[in-house]
mmCIF file of all heavy atoms in Angstrom:
data_model
loop_
_atom_site.group_PDB
_atom_site.id
_atom_site.type_symbol
_atom_site.label_atom_id
_atom_site.label_comp_id
_atom_site.label_asym_id
_atom_site.label_seq_id
_atom_site.Cartn_x
_atom_site.Cartn_y
_atom_site.Cartn_z
ATOM 1 N N SER A 499 308.477 145.798 -53.457
ATOM 2 C CA SER A 499 308.638 147.222 -53.240
ATOM 3 C C SER A 499 309.358 147.800 -54.461
ATOM 4 O O SER A 499 309.978 147.087 -55.226
ATOM 5 C CB SER A 499 309.412 147.487 -51.962
ATOM 6 O OG SER A 499 310.703 147.000 -52.095
ATOM 7 N N VAL A 500 309.225 149.100 -54.594
ATOM 8 C CA VAL A 500 309.744 149.748 -55.783
ATOM 9 C C VAL A 500 311.207 150.122 -55.585
ATOM 10 O O VAL A 500 311.605 150.610 -54.538
ATOM 11 C CB VAL A 500 308.919 151.006 -56.080
ATOM 12 C CG1 VAL A 500 309.363 151.635 -57.378
ATOM 13 C CG2 VAL A 500 307.456 150.675 -56.142
ATOM 14 N N LEU A 501 312.025 149.828 -56.600
ATOM 15 C CA LEU A 501 313.437 150.171 -56.559
ATOM 16 C C LEU A 501 313.774 150.991 -57.783
ATOM 17 O O LEU A 501 313.256 150.772 -58.867
ATOM 18 C CB LEU A 501 314.300 148.905 -56.588
ATOM 19 C CG LEU A 501 314.055 147.858 -55.500
ATOM 20 C CD1 LEU A 501 314.719 146.555 -55.890
ATOM 21 C CD2 LEU A 501 314.646 148.355 -54.191
ATOM 22 N N THR A 502 314.646 151.968 -57.596
ATOM 23 C CA THR A 502 315.113 152.695 -58.773
ATOM 24 C C THR A 502 316.331 151.981 -59.340
ATOM 25 O O THR A 502 317.014 151.247 -58.604
ATOM 26 C CB THR A 502 315.505 154.143 -58.435
ATOM 27 O OG1 THR A 502 316.539 154.108 -57.472
ATOM 28 C CG2 THR A 502 314.334 154.903 -57.871
ATOM 29 N N TYR A 504 319.022 153.292 -60.207
ATOM 30 C CA TYR A 504 320.189 153.877 -59.529
ATOM 31 C C TYR A 504 320.428 153.200 -58.180
ATOM 32 O O TYR A 504 321.558 152.883 -57.816
ATOM 33 C CB TYR A 504 319.956 155.382 -59.325
ATOM 34 C CG TYR A 504 321.057 156.085 -58.553
ATOM 35 C CD1 TYR A 504 322.235 156.448 -59.208
ATOM 36 C CD2 TYR A 504 320.911 156.375 -57.213
ATOM 37 C CE1 TYR A 504 323.254 157.081 -58.505
ATOM 38 C CE2 TYR A 504 321.918 156.997 -56.504
ATOM 39 C CZ TYR A 504 323.096 157.368 -57.170
ATOM 40 O OH TYR A 504 324.087 157.979 -56.474
ATOM 41 N N GLU A 505 319.321 152.907 -57.503
ATOM 42 C CA GLU A 505 319.404 152.260 -56.194
ATOM 43 C C GLU A 505 320.040 150.867 -56.337
ATOM 44 O O GLU A 505 320.890 150.479 -55.534
ATOM 45 C CB GLU A 505 317.983 152.131 -55.661
ATOM 46 C CG GLU A 505 317.882 151.771 -54.202
ATOM 47 C CD GLU A 505 316.418 151.753 -53.745
ATOM 48 O OE1 GLU A 505 315.538 152.205 -54.502
ATOM 49 O OE2 GLU A 505 316.173 151.253 -52.640
ATOM 50 N N GLU A 530 310.990 140.727 -66.453
ATOM 51 C CA GLU A 530 309.620 141.148 -66.718
ATOM 52 C C GLU A 530 308.912 140.132 -67.618
ATOM 53 O O GLU A 530 307.753 139.802 -67.411
ATOM 54 C CB GLU A 530 309.627 142.517 -67.384
ATOM 55 C CG GLU A 530 308.281 143.208 -67.378
ATOM 56 C CD GLU A 530 308.389 144.634 -67.913
ATOM 57 O OE1 GLU A 530 309.188 144.881 -68.834
ATOM 58 O OE2 GLU A 530 307.661 145.491 -67.404
ATOM 59 N N GLU A 533 307.598 137.451 -65.832
ATOM 60 C CA GLU A 533 306.608 137.929 -64.872
ATOM 61 C C GLU A 533 307.145 137.947 -63.426
ATOM 62 O O GLU A 533 306.399 137.723 -62.483
ATOM 63 C CB GLU A 533 305.322 137.118 -64.958
ATOM 64 C CG GLU A 533 304.669 137.285 -66.310
ATOM 65 C CD GLU A 533 303.256 136.727 -66.350
ATOM 66 O OE1 GLU A 533 302.765 136.302 -65.306
ATOM 67 O OE2 GLU A 533 302.668 136.739 -67.431
ATOM 68 N N GLU A 536 308.281 144.103 -62.855
ATOM 69 C CA GLU A 536 307.601 145.043 -63.757
ATOM 70 C C GLU A 536 308.340 146.364 -63.721
ATOM 71 O O GLU A 536 308.628 146.899 -62.661
ATOM 72 C CB GLU A 536 306.147 145.199 -63.332
ATOM 73 C CG GLU A 536 305.283 145.703 -64.469
ATOM 74 C CD GLU A 536 303.804 145.473 -64.185
ATOM 75 O OE1 GLU A 536 303.432 144.367 -63.745
ATOM 76 O OE2 GLU A 536 303.040 146.401 -64.432
ATOM 77 N N ILE A 538 308.775 150.306 -64.329
ATOM 78 C CA ILE A 538 307.942 151.515 -64.351
ATOM 79 C C ILE A 538 308.778 152.647 -64.916
ATOM 80 O O ILE A 538 309.920 152.848 -64.513
ATOM 81 C CB ILE A 538 307.507 151.920 -62.911
ATOM 82 C CG1 ILE A 538 307.188 150.679 -62.087
ATOM 83 C CG2 ILE A 538 306.352 152.867 -62.960
ATOM 84 C CD1 ILE A 538 307.170 150.962 -60.597
ATOM 85 N N LEU A 540 309.057 156.611 -65.317
ATOM 86 C CA LEU A 540 308.498 157.836 -64.755
ATOM 87 C C LEU A 540 309.464 158.965 -65.074
ATOM 88 O O LEU A 540 310.620 158.920 -64.687
ATOM 89 C CB LEU A 540 308.361 157.640 -63.234
ATOM 90 C CG LEU A 540 307.230 158.392 -62.568
ATOM 91 C CD1 LEU A 540 305.901 157.806 -62.968
ATOM 92 C CD2 LEU A 540 307.396 158.295 -61.070
ATOM 93 N N GLN A 541 309.029 159.949 -65.736
ATOM 94 C CA GLN A 541 309.844 161.108 -66.149
ATOM 95 C C GLN A 541 311.224 160.658 -66.626
ATOM 96 O O GLN A 541 312.215 160.981 -66.030
ATOM 97 C CB GLN A 541 310.030 162.121 -65.021
ATOM 98 C CG GLN A 541 308.992 162.090 -63.976
ATOM 99 C CD GLN A 541 309.505 162.627 -62.649
ATOM 100 O OE1 GLN A 541 310.693 162.731 -62.394
ATOM 101 N NE2 GLN A 541 308.594 162.972 -61.772
ATOM 102 N N THR A 543 312.953 158.339 -66.020
ATOM 103 C CA THR A 543 313.796 157.573 -65.109
ATOM 104 C C THR A 543 313.068 156.245 -64.842
ATOM 105 O O THR A 543 311.847 156.214 -64.803
ATOM 106 C CB THR A 543 313.966 158.313 -63.760
ATOM 107 O OG1 THR A 543 314.179 159.683 -64.049
ATOM 108 C CG2 THR A 543 315.132 157.759 -63.000
ATOM 109 N N GLY A 545 312.208 152.711 -62.814
ATOM 110 C CA GLY A 545 312.140 151.994 -61.557
ATOM 111 C C GLY A 545 311.641 150.602 -61.837
ATOM 112 O O GLY A 545 311.172 150.321 -62.936
ATOM 113 N N LYS A 547 309.676 147.028 -60.014
ATOM 114 C CA LYS A 547 309.084 146.351 -58.860
ATOM 115 C C LYS A 547 309.311 144.867 -59.081
ATOM 116 O O LYS A 547 308.895 144.313 -60.084
ATOM 117 C CB LYS A 547 307.577 146.670 -58.804
ATOM 118 C CG LYS A 547 306.932 146.268 -57.489
ATOM 119 C CD LYS A 547 305.481 146.694 -57.468
ATOM 120 C CE LYS A 547 304.816 146.249 -56.185
ATOM 121 N NZ LYS A 547 303.388 146.557 -56.180
ATOM 122 N N PHE A 549 308.839 140.972 -58.030
ATOM 123 C CA PHE A 549 307.823 140.195 -57.292
ATOM 124 C C PHE A 549 308.407 138.900 -56.741
ATOM 125 O O PHE A 549 309.301 138.342 -57.306
ATOM 126 C CB PHE A 549 306.640 139.883 -58.196
ATOM 127 C CG PHE A 549 305.962 141.123 -58.692
ATOM 128 C CD1 PHE A 549 306.231 141.637 -59.948
ATOM 129 C CD2 PHE A 549 305.086 141.792 -57.844
ATOM 130 C CE1 PHE A 549 305.622 142.811 -60.372
ATOM 131 C CE2 PHE A 549 304.468 142.966 -58.286
ATOM 132 C CZ PHE A 549 304.736 143.463 -59.534
ATOM 133 N N ARG B 362 298.455 138.646 -75.153
ATOM 134 C CA ARG B 362 297.797 138.347 -73.893
ATOM 135 C C ARG B 362 297.770 139.602 -73.041
ATOM 136 O O ARG B 362 298.806 140.225 -72.811
ATOM 137 C CB ARG B 362 298.533 137.233 -73.174
ATOM 138 C CG ARG B 362 297.742 136.656 -72.008
ATOM 139 C CD ARG B 362 298.255 135.261 -71.729
ATOM 140 N NE ARG B 362 299.708 135.282 -71.540
ATOM 141 C CZ ARG B 362 300.291 135.298 -70.354
ATOM 142 N NH1 ARG B 362 299.561 135.300 -69.270
ATOM 143 N NH2 ARG B 362 301.592 135.313 -70.247
ATOM 144 N N LYS B 364 298.004 141.756 -70.096
ATOM 145 C CA LYS B 364 298.563 141.613 -68.747
ATOM 146 C C LYS B 364 297.979 142.648 -67.832
ATOM 147 O O LYS B 364 297.801 143.807 -68.199
ATOM 148 C CB LYS B 364 300.092 141.777 -68.807
ATOM 149 C CG LYS B 364 300.808 140.433 -68.663
ATOM 150 C CD LYS B 364 302.266 140.654 -68.339
ATOM 151 C CE LYS B 364 303.092 140.854 -69.586
ATOM 152 N NZ LYS B 364 304.477 141.159 -69.329
ATOM 153 N N SER B 366 298.542 145.029 -64.980
ATOM 154 C CA SER B 366 299.704 145.636 -64.338
ATOM 155 C C SER B 366 299.588 145.506 -62.821
ATOM 156 O O SER B 366 298.527 145.695 -62.253
ATOM 157 C CB SER B 366 299.798 147.115 -64.709
ATOM 158 O OG SER B 366 300.856 147.699 -64.006
ATOM 159 N N ARG B 367 300.706 145.133 -62.232
ATOM 160 C CA ARG B 367 300.692 144.976 -60.783
ATOM 161 C C ARG B 367 301.256 146.227 -60.109
ATOM 162 O O ARG B 367 301.564 146.225 -58.930
ATOM 163 C CB ARG B 367 301.514 143.760 -60.388
ATOM 164 C CG ARG B 367 300.795 142.450 -60.738
ATOM 165 C CD ARG B 367 301.632 141.257 -60.348
ATOM 166 N NE ARG B 367 302.654 140.981 -61.335
ATOM 167 C CZ ARG B 367 303.466 139.949 -61.271
ATOM 168 N NH1 ARG B 367 303.367 139.094 -60.279
ATOM 169 N NH2 ARG B 367 304.392 139.743 -62.202
ATOM 170 N N ILE B 368 301.380 147.305 -60.900
ATOM 171 C CA ILE B 368 301.895 148.541 -60.355
ATOM 172 C C ILE B 368 300.730 149.420 -59.927
ATOM 173 O O ILE B 368 299.830 149.689 -60.718
ATOM 174 C CB ILE B 368 302.731 149.292 -61.413
ATOM 175 C CG1 ILE B 368 303.812 148.400 -61.998
ATOM 176 C CG2 ILE B 368 303.299 150.586 -60.870
ATOM 177 C CD1 ILE B 368 304.903 148.022 -61.043
ATOM 178 N N ASP B 372 302.781 152.673 -55.745
ATOM 179 C CA ASP B 372 304.120 152.327 -56.172
ATOM 180 C C ASP B 372 304.764 153.477 -56.944
ATOM 181 O O ASP B 372 305.943 153.796 -56.769
ATOM 182 C CB ASP B 372 304.089 151.081 -57.080
ATOM 183 C CG ASP B 372 303.715 149.855 -56.295
ATOM 184 O OD1 ASP B 372 303.902 149.876 -55.060
ATOM 185 O OD2 ASP B 372 303.229 148.898 -56.902
ATOM 186 N N LYS B 373 303.942 154.099 -57.784
ATOM 187 C CA LYS B 373 304.458 155.203 -58.593
ATOM 188 C C LYS B 373 304.900 156.360 -57.706
ATOM 189 O O LYS B 373 305.931 156.995 -57.948
ATOM 190 C CB LYS B 373 303.402 155.668 -59.581
ATOM 191 C CG LYS B 373 303.336 154.797 -60.820
ATOM 192 C CD LYS B 373 302.317 155.281 -61.806
ATOM 193 C CE LYS B 373 302.111 154.238 -62.894
ATOM 194 N NZ LYS B 373 300.835 154.415 -63.560
ATOM 195 N N LEU B 376 308.118 155.510 -56.133
ATOM 196 C CA LEU B 376 309.186 155.612 -57.120
ATOM 197 C C LEU B 376 309.592 157.071 -57.310
ATOM 198 O O LEU B 376 310.775 157.407 -57.354
ATOM 199 C CB LEU B 376 308.722 155.011 -58.443
ATOM 200 C CG LEU B 376 309.771 155.075 -59.554
ATOM 201 C CD1 LEU B 376 310.984 154.240 -59.192
ATOM 202 C CD2 LEU B 376 309.209 154.631 -60.890
ATOM 203 N N GLU B 377 308.583 157.926 -57.370
ATOM 204 C CA GLU B 377 308.876 159.333 -57.563
ATOM 205 C C GLU B 377 309.743 159.858 -56.415
ATOM 206 O O GLU B 377 310.740 160.552 -56.629
ATOM 207 C CB GLU B 377 307.559 160.117 -57.632
ATOM 208 C CG GLU B 377 307.654 161.335 -58.502
ATOM 209 C CD GLU B 377 306.285 161.816 -58.940
ATOM 210 O OE1 GLU B 377 305.379 160.976 -59.128
ATOM 211 O OE2 GLU B 377 306.133 163.026 -59.063
ATOM 212 N N LYS B 379 311.654 158.115 -54.527
ATOM 213 C CA LYS B 379 312.985 157.514 -54.593
ATOM 214 C C LYS B 379 313.839 158.143 -55.671
ATOM 215 O O LYS B 379 315.065 158.272 -55.500
ATOM 216 C CB LYS B 379 312.837 156.012 -54.848
ATOM 217 C CG LYS B 379 312.495 155.234 -53.585
ATOM 218 C CD LYS B 379 312.683 153.751 -53.748
ATOM 219 C CE LYS B 379 312.643 153.054 -52.386
ATOM 220 N NZ LYS B 379 312.822 151.615 -52.519
ATOM 221 N N ILE B 380 313.212 158.558 -56.755
ATOM 222 C CA ILE B 380 313.970 159.243 -57.807
ATOM 223 C C ILE B 380 314.517 160.556 -57.270
ATOM 224 O O ILE B 380 315.679 160.903 -57.471
ATOM 225 C CB ILE B 380 313.093 159.457 -59.058
ATOM 226 C CG1 ILE B 380 312.841 158.128 -59.763
ATOM 227 C CG2 ILE B 380 313.759 160.426 -60.017
ATOM 228 C CD1 ILE B 380 311.806 158.205 -60.853
ATOM 229 N N ARG B 382 315.155 161.194 -54.222
ATOM 230 C CA ARG B 382 316.218 160.833 -53.286
ATOM 231 C C ARG B 382 317.521 160.556 -54.038
ATOM 232 O O ARG B 382 318.600 161.052 -53.670
ATOM 233 C CB ARG B 382 315.783 159.589 -52.504
ATOM 234 C CG ARG B 382 316.774 159.145 -51.460
ATOM 235 C CD ARG B 382 316.566 157.715 -51.089
ATOM 236 N NE ARG B 382 316.761 156.860 -52.252
ATOM 237 C CZ ARG B 382 316.499 155.572 -52.274
ATOM 238 N NH1 ARG B 382 315.985 154.994 -51.234
ATOM 239 N NH2 ARG B 382 316.713 154.864 -53.369
ATOM 240 N N ASP B 383 317.397 159.778 -55.125
ATOM 241 C CA ASP B 383 318.595 159.471 -55.937
ATOM 242 C C ASP B 383 319.239 160.747 -56.471
ATOM 243 O O ASP B 383 320.464 160.885 -56.455
ATOM 244 C CB ASP B 383 318.209 158.554 -57.091
ATOM 245 C CG ASP B 383 317.920 157.150 -56.629
ATOM 246 O OD1 ASP B 383 318.105 156.887 -55.422
ATOM 247 O OD2 ASP B 383 317.485 156.328 -57.446
ATOM 248 N N LYS B 387 323.000 161.991 -55.846
ATOM 249 C CA LYS B 387 323.940 162.322 -56.910
ATOM 250 C C LYS B 387 324.508 163.726 -56.708
ATOM 251 O O LYS B 387 325.701 163.970 -56.892
ATOM 252 C CB LYS B 387 323.234 162.241 -58.267
ATOM 253 C CG LYS B 387 323.043 160.801 -58.754
ATOM 254 C CD LYS B 387 322.283 160.776 -60.077
ATOM 255 C CE LYS B 387 321.654 159.436 -60.316
ATOM 256 N NZ LYS B 387 320.633 159.483 -61.378
ATOM 257 N N LEU B 390 327.114 163.687 -54.073
ATOM 258 C CA LEU B 390 328.389 163.137 -54.562
ATOM 259 C C LEU B 390 329.134 164.185 -55.359
ATOM 260 O O LEU B 390 330.357 164.321 -55.238
ATOM 261 C CB LEU B 390 328.109 161.898 -55.427
ATOM 262 C CG LEU B 390 327.718 160.641 -54.668
ATOM 263 C CD1 LEU B 390 327.395 159.512 -55.658
ATOM 264 C CD2 LEU B 390 328.826 160.221 -53.722
ATOM 265 N N GLU B 447 305.657 153.303 -47.360
ATOM 266 C CA GLU B 447 305.767 151.837 -47.451
ATOM 267 C C GLU B 447 305.112 151.193 -46.240
ATOM 268 O O GLU B 447 304.455 150.157 -46.356
ATOM 269 C CB GLU B 447 307.244 151.433 -47.559
ATOM 270 C CG GLU B 447 307.712 151.533 -49.002
ATOM 271 C CD GLU B 447 309.164 151.174 -49.176
ATOM 272 O OE1 GLU B 447 309.965 151.332 -48.237
ATOM 273 O OE2 GLU B 447 309.518 150.723 -50.273
#
Side-chain angles (χ1 to χ4, degrees):
Chain A
S499 64
V500 184
L501 303 165
T502 60
Y504 177 79
E505 193 177 350
E530 196 174 35
E533 296 192 6
E536 201 162 315
I538 321 162
L540 211 69
Q541 336 155 342
T543 318
K547 193 176 178 185
F549 298 99
Chain B
R362 193 157 53 99
K364 255 196 274 176
S366 176
R367 287 180 280 184
I368 306 293
D372 291 338
K373 278 182 190 158
L376 180 65
E377 211 161 327
K379 280 194 166 180
I380 288 170
R382 182 200 62 188
D383 287 354
K387 283 178 201 165
L390 286 177
E447 277 179 332

